Amino acid sequence: MRSHYCGKLTATEVGQDVTLSGWVNRRRDLGGLIFIDLRDREGLVQVVCDPDLKDLFDVAYTVRNEYCIQIKGQVRARPASQVNQEMATGAVEVYASELTILNKAAPLPLDFNHENSEEQRLKYRYLDLRRPLMSDRLKFRAKVTSFVRNFMDSQGFLDVETPILTKATPEGARDYLVPSRTHKGQFFALPQSPQLFKQLLMMSGLDRYYQIVKCFRDEDLRADRQPEFTQIDIETSFMTAPEVMAVTEQMVREMFQSLLNVDLGDFPRMPYWEAMRLYGSDKPDLRNPMQFVDVADLLKDVEFKVFSGPANDPKGRVVALKVPGAAEKISRKDIDNYTSFVGIYGAKGLAWLKVNDLAAGAEGIQSPVAKFLSAEIITEILARTGAQNGDLIFFGADSYKVVCEAMGALRLKLGEDLKLTVPGWKPLWVVDFPMFEENDDGSYSAVHHPFTSPLDTAHFLNTPNNELKLGELLSNAYDMVLNGTELGGGSVRIHTAEVQAKVFTLLGISDEEAAEKFGFLLEALKYGAPPHAGLAFGLDRLVMLMTGATSIRDVMAFPKTATAACPLTDAPGAANPAQLAELGIQVAVKA
């Protein structure tokens, strides 16, 4: 039904007869002529309908936006004065000889010229995806997946599928459960990732595996989360962490060069604790120059309990964040707004200090907390932060977690509000993550997952459990970060039953529970399991960054809403009572 794509016509085709099919992007009736901008996946071209061809002209008069039509005609060059530099096909047009309406369009529920609510866009997603912005993003996503497959194939990786119906494993989120009809009362789980299966593939001797795979997590959503998302999943045998990092860095570097003509430059490596110390985040945006300065040691003896309390608490933290040149740019009302902002993350307030005259020391600053600080403390804070005239210093004082989250978010917001975050790309590797993190009840959980190898395996194995300082143990894990977004994370995996069993014990997983949940893995580790490591990229996040979208929903064809619903299909919905009976399920009705 077509000989060419609309958006692909160039001067090369001038004089050729073509057949085009697509949608009416716009119809312009100039009295003597009707012009139709015809659109397909590849772009637009102008079609000229001449009144001398009465039957064709009469049909052209009836078409409206989004009518699906077919055009036959001849490509001709536009006059020099009428070339449209804004269109890829702006040097040519098609003089129509036939016009066929393939399907009419009812009045549209979306306004393509104005903003529509996300609910509307998702309900009529098939219309939303007709917009060039959206279709271009999906085309770019296809280029990314094609690049990944070609690169991984060239490096000797095998594309292997893993099961979707599997067994629930603890990976940090709730599972989506699928009832079994043949085993009533029992359930499959949709995989949060193919973690255990890709490890088993390494134990099977396949050496290098990859998969572009769907993963499922029932968790609270945000801009970069969806209940179902896509991973570029990679696993290798007989490769060290630096080797895995090298090959995946090469893939991302070549991808950006090939698809965006961007040279990402060096990928520096930063230990986790340094990232937290300087930025309060394990995925710092290095385009933003601001850094934290710890000042708890200066404030332990001040009378101001807001400072001295966290300063004397082993689990507390007090930091200063210098904002260059912000003293005149940020009003008292702005400070109040920023105070409310950090409150979202649990901060109880936001102390501040403006530097009006550095040479005057304590006399040259303006701050509601200055009366609680000695001149010596103020002078040391100014020196430690490198403050200059016109700078503004914010303070975060609370538990370590609250300070990192609240002040880390404030740093990013200030960077955007004050245009301190420079354009461009800043990649890095964050390495040497903690192996365990303490829960509120004093127990510990794995920072990544319980199959991550300790950085120092010998120390881990040879030290009695009661002598291990779990909060200080490091794992052989690594994350690739770009512009404050975690592109992917991975680790060296545990490949001996002895180490794996010890990790389970430290996490409070009994032998019985380990055997019930991971018996197949523990069994496999007994039979010559090779050293192996891997990494998984978030494909949706990667495409979001590369296309400049602000949400992964805008780079997915049919995403869910923030409440994990699909307005298009009205899912989730009630199940047929007969289906429930067959599965042995009874729905509890709320009173």
Side-chain angles (χ1 to χ4, degrees), residues 13 25 77 131 188 193 238 246 269 387-388 397 406 416 420-421 462 468 473 508 547 551 582:
E13 283 77 39
N25 196 67
R131 293 190 297 133
F188 295 104
S193 81
F238 308 113
R269 298 188 183 186
Q388 300 294 321
E416 291 298 321
L420 296 173
T421 301
N462 296 329
L468 282 173
L473 287 175
T547 60
S551 166
E582 190 174 30

Side-chain angles (χ1 to χ4, degrees), residues 341-352:
F341 175 76
V342 296
I344 297 171
Y345 300 88
K348 302 176 184 67
L350 184 63
W352 55 273

Side-chain angles (χ1 to χ4, degrees), residues 280-333:
S281 171
D282 60 2
K283 49 181 183 296
D285 187 347
L286 299 186
R287 300 172 303 162
N288 182 326
M290 291 184 290
Q291 296 180 344
F292 294 171
V293 174
D294 284 291
V295 293
D297 60 306
L298 303 176
L299 302 170
K300 289 185 175 181
D301 297 324
V302 300
E303 295 182 5
F304 192 41
K305 296 300 182 184
V306 170
F307 282 169
S308 61
N312 287 283
D313 185 346
K315 296 183 179 181
R317 190 178 188 190
V318 186
V319 302
L321 179 67
K322 181 190 73 174
V323 189
E328 297 300 324
K329 298 177 182 177
I330 295 181
S331 67
R332 186 57 188 267
K333 181 180 179 183

Side-chain angles (χ1 to χ4, degrees), residues 475-497:
S475 64
N476 204 347
Y478 35 84
D479 282 0
M480 184 188 289
V481 176
L482 182 63
N483 291 4
T485 296
E486 178 196 328
L487 288 187
S491 67
V492 173
R493 321 303 188 188
I494 296 169
H495 72 281
T496 67

